[in-house]
């Protein structure tokens, strides 16, 4: 198995940098505060149009035409509409299954957020709050969401699998990402006590989640667990016969490699990819099918300046407007790091690019030069991504 | 000159069938009634997200990568924000110019609507009302809009030209389209007195518009006039030396050919295209550079049933959900009619496909089978459109 896929990020789980218009006129930095700062009517109108327009049938057609086989769809814990003031989005996921089945794509449902936060990232739903695993009733709630997803979609032809939780953070990443400072909490009282999840907790949660969803999920559908940013920590996990088709998901971004000390040259990126991504995936593939569920071509070298581990104007870090590199220069860097990363993912069982689409405007909004490489569609169109379609080159 | 372009339809001028979510919960069939049925806040929120997400930088990248050279951008008469309750959209057009200049595309600004209606179509802004040319103050208002557009964008590198008014209807088309019945007016009193524009009026209006905008528009930028659905009626028009770089725009849809009696087979479509489109364009090209500013691959044959001149569930006409043709069968029809039409446009000076993108859901919404052929992106991805990119084939 070497599954080629893209994430449908920012469709059903929002990230401000990917569609700033949704957050206009508010100080909200994450999805938690959006319905709390907008009137009910305006929130409903914004989110309704966004969900109806951001991803549609035509995107499934395009993704298939780009040579992809699958989509990973991040969904929020409030997908079933039972967590006011949020508005559910299960009808959108229903439509996605019909599109996928028409056009021959598979779907990995990815529960991307948990109430009270599983990582404190903006994309976890609430900045600076990471207390979900300390709230037993919210852990149970998440399990019921997973059960309902498994029951509703378990027998759908397009279902590839369900990922039980995206990026539950553990100690090392919590420290390296410097979560409390990079993602400051709005409500200090709410954030108080935030801490990384323990591996012991995650193991228990994954086992419970497996049991709760496998009863609805035919054996051939995958149950996907995220590595908690500790790829090699899972060798002795779920070795028992009863666990079938469990996939280990690891997320690897070059900006994190940079934050880990990788130098900002193509040679050093390639060496890091070989030494870390490739070696560790190869090692872990002995235990689980391993996918790289999130990655992209973004790196500081191609931006033309140090992004300090992928920090942007949203983090108060100055970006650049200048086109420092030529089109050819950028293409060369991106194709090199793409090939190196794709070679690493081939040691495992597949990948999902982050992300299929984003609306970040590198022309009209200051400071975003280089951030278009997060957008798979633009990577294909610019000829940055080595694909069957790499003749489709734009004028970047 | 053989300009290849696409329309950015439904971005700044709405058409309900192209993005139904915008009209949800209302009985509005056109843009006129949308802000009159929604609260100010909700209208603003819906339109704001739509404009920010429907067309973005990444679409300009994609359009370039599809081998296109230009975009025709329909704009409403309220673009400058001086016609409450509508909200202006000149900032969006500003952004489009920056994207176009970055990625090497040209822009034809197309004034697509006029107050009190120039055709009575939904896409003219208000169904069943066609009285603009009878209201001198509104004719003057439109001239001031054109002046302001010319002044603002006249010296922009990306500007290809300005089309002074889209599809002002004349007698023949008014009758054939059966406007009052196909596009029933909501307000009978307002519609009272609606009638097609006379060619005499249009000639005067075009001359005035030319004068008013040419003073801001460098000579090499085009002034585009629509043929009023009477392509061969303009031979003796603007023959004087002083008129420079005037382009004649004709719109040719196979659904109109069908309504004109063309049989619903590929052979008959091809014969009609040769006999009418090709011959008439060739003839008129002696007088003006002629572009086909709107056309598409849509036809009843490929839908698998008679669409009665392109009528849809919106007109209360039953469509089909069934996939009557195979993927190969559809592709063959579309490529045949595409090649025939492209050959006809080559007798002139270029074309703009209608439209680059639409959100019509042929999978989840009943009755829309076949309507995906209006979507240039999907045509490319399905391999229906013969282009440099025709290797990019999806699984339709």
């Amino acid at each position: 198995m070497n599954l080629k896929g893209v994430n449908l990020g920012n469709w059903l789980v929002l990230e401000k940098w990917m569609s700033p218009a949704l957050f206009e006129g508010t100080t909200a930095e994450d999805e938690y505060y959006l319905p709390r700062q907008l009137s009910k009517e305006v929130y409903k109108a914004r989110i309704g149009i966004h969900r109806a327009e951001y991803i549609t049938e035509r995107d499934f057609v395009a993704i298939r035409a780009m040579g992809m086989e699958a989509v990973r769809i991040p969904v929020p814990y409030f997908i079933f509409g039972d967590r006011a003031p949020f508005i559910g989005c299960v009808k959108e996921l229903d439509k996605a299954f019909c599109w996928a089945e028409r056009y021959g794509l598979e779907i990995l449902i990815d529960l991307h957020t948990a109430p009270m936060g599983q990582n404190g990232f903006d994309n976890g739903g609430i900045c600076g709050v990471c207390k979900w695993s300390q709230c037993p009733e919210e852990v149970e709630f998440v399990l019921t969401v997973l059960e309902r997803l498994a029951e509703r979609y378990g027998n759908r032809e397009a279902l590839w699998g369900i990922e039980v939780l995206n990026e539950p953070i553990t100690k090392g990443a919590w420290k390296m990402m410097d979560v409390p400072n990079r993602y400051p909490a709005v409500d200090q009282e709410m954030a108080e006590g935030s801490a990384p999840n323990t591996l012991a907790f995650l193991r228990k949660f994954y086992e419970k989640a497996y049991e709760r969803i496998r009863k609805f999920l035919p054996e051939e559908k995958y149950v996907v667990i995220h590595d908690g940013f500790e790829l090699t920590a899972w060798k002795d996990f779920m070795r028992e016969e009863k666990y079938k088709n469990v996939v280990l998901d690891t997320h690897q971004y070059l900006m994190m490699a940079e934050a880990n000390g990788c130098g900002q040259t193509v040679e050093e990126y390639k060496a890091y990819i070989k030494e870390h991504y490739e070696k560790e995936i190869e090692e872990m593939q002995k235990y689980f099918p391993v996918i790289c569920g999130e990655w992209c071509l973004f790196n500081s070298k191609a931006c033309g300046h140090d992004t300090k581990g992928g920090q942007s104007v949203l983090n108060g870090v100055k970006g650049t407007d200048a086109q420092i590199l030529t089109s050819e220069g950028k293409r060369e860097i991106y194709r090199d790091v793409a090939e190196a990363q794709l070679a690493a993912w081939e040691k495992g069982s597949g990948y999902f690019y982050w992300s299929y689409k984003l609306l970040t405007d590198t022309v009209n909004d200051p400071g975003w030069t280089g951030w278009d490489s997060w957008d798979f569609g633009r990577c294909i169109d610019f000829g940055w991504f080595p694909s069957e379609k790499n003749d489709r080159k734009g004028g970047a």
Side-chain angles (χ1 to χ4, degrees), chain A:
Chain A
M1 176 167 68
N2 185 26
L3 194 68
K4 294 183 288 183
V6 287
N7 281 278
L8 301 187
N10 192 43
W11 181 31
L12 305 179
V13 175
L14 306 181
E15 299 191 27
K16 180 176 174 175
W17 72 284
M18 293 168 80
S19 55
L22 283 169
F23 291 79
E24 221 169 72
T26 75
T27 60
E29 296 291 335
D30 56 45
E31 191 156 7
Y32 185 84
Y33 287 102
L34 194 62
R36 287 165 175 89
Q37 289 202 15
L38 297 172
S39 73
K40 201 173 162 177
E41 291 67 31
V42 168
Y43 173 65
K44 189 180 162 199
R46 286 193 187 186
I47 209 91
I49 298 303
H50 169 75
R51 289 173 179 171
E53 299 205 350
Y54 194 80
I55 295 292
T56 64
E57 177 183 0
R58 81 192 292 277
D59 297 295
F60 279 69
V61 174
I63 289 165
R64 195 76 186 77
M66 288 166 178
M68 295 292 107
E69 302 160 333
V71 290
R72 179 173 180 260
I73 305 185
V75 300
Y77 63 84
F78 54 80
I79 181 171
F80 290 104
D82 52 359
R83 300 289 300 228
F86 295 113
I87 298 172
C89 51
V90 75
K91 277 184 199 160
E92 282 78 3
L93 193 54
D94 287 347
K95 285 186 188 180
F97 270 89
C98 294
W99 296 326
E101 283 161 5
R102 172 71 62 88
Y103 298 112
L105 287 166
E106 297 196 273
I107 292 177
L108 169 56
I109 302 172
D110 151 44
L111 183 63
H112 210 73
T113 65
M116 297 304 285
Q118 82 276 24
N119 51 35
F121 305 158
D122 58 339
N123 61 62
I126 180 163
C127 290
V129 178
C130 186
K131 288 164 71 175
W132 165 73
S133 63
Q134 303 171 39
C135 308
E137 72 288 3
E138 296 296 17
V139 173
E140 174 57 27
F141 177 78
V142 161
L143 290 168
T144 71
V145 172
L146 292 169
E147 275 179 327
R148 284 179 278 172
L149 289 169
E151 191 171 8
R152 192 178 185 101
Y153 301 110
N155 290 298
R156 291 297 292 254
E157 184 197 333
L159 185 72
W160 186 81
I162 295 178
E163 179 154 3
V164 300
L165 190 57
N166 182 65
E167 296 189 353
I169 200 166
T170 56
K171 214 164 48 181
W174 178 265
K175 208 173 153 188
M176 195 187 67
M177 296 288 286
D178 189 17
V179 175
N181 293 310
R182 184 161 171 177
Y183 301 101
V186 168
D187 180 339
Q188 288 308 324
E189 203 176 317
M190 193 178 174
E192 179 78 34
S194 285
N197 306 286
T198 64
L199 277 169
F201 167 83
L202 281 184
R203 281 160 195 258
K204 264 193 209 134
F205 172 71
Y206 285 163
E207 285 166 356
K208 257 188 249 164
Y210 183 94
E211 273 160 42
R212 298 277 287 264
I213 66 179
R214 186 51 95 193
K215 61 178 183 282
F216 299 106
L217 217 54
E219 198 175 292
E220 70 272 18
K221 308 286 189 187
Y222 295 97
V223 174
V224 181
I225 57 171
H226 182 268
D227 68 3
F229 305 100
E230 292 285 354
L231 177 51
T232 54
W234 304 90
K235 290 180 192 171
D236 59 348
F237 186 57
M238 287 193 173
R239 296 289 83 210
E240 298 83 349
E241 189 69 31
K242 66 174 176 178
Y243 296 111
K244 310 279 189 199
N245 285 324
V246 177
V247 166
L248 184 61
D249 176 22
T250 189
H251 297 175
Q252 301 291 351
Y253 287 108
L254 290 172
M255 62 181 186
M256 302 297 289
E258 292 175 8
N260 263 331
C262 172
Q264 300 179 6
T265 69
V266 171
E267 285 320 304
E268 285 164 290
Y269 293 144
K270 282 163 73 174
Y272 191 96
I273 290 164
K274 229 177 162 53
E275 187 57 36
H276 293 275
Y277 303 176
E278 194 166 320
K279 232 165 138 178
E280 289 170 17
I281 288 173
E282 197 166 15
E283 188 185 349
M284 291 309 295
Q285 185 77 6
K286 293 176 203 153
Y287 304 90
F288 297 93
V290 178
I291 59 169
C292 182
E294 293 189 17
W295 68 288
C296 72
L297 301 187
F298 179 84
N299 63 76
S300 289
K301 171 74 182 169
C303 289
H305 72 109
D306 185 357
T307 65
K308 301 189 173 69
Q311 297 199 58
S312 71
V313 294
L314 278 195
N315 307 103
V317 173
K318 221 171 155 294
T320 180
D321 305 330
Q323 289 287 334
I324 294 153
L325 288 94
T326 64
S327 296
E328 284 65 40
K330 273 194 287 186
R331 187 176 297 143
E332 209 174 303
I333 296 168
Y334 286 133
R335 293 191 71 122
D336 280 353
V337 298
E339 270 158 30
Q341 290 182 92
L342 288 169
W345 318 148
E346 270 179 26
K347 302 291 180 191
S349 295
Y351 68 79
F352 292 89
Y353 197 92
W354 187 279
S355 188
Y356 162 64
K357 172 182 184 177
L358 47 102
L359 305 184
T360 314
D361 188 335
T362 72
V363 173
N364 293 295
D365 293 338
W368 289 99
T369 292
W371 289 75
D372 40 7
S373 57
W374 290 81
D375 183 329
F376 188 72
R378 285 188 254 189
C379 291
I380 292 280
D381 287 333
F382 284 140
W384 295 343
F385 195 85
S387 79
E388 301 152 41
K389 311 299 158 206
N390 58 24
D391 62 313
R392 198 170 167 221
K393 281 174 192 158

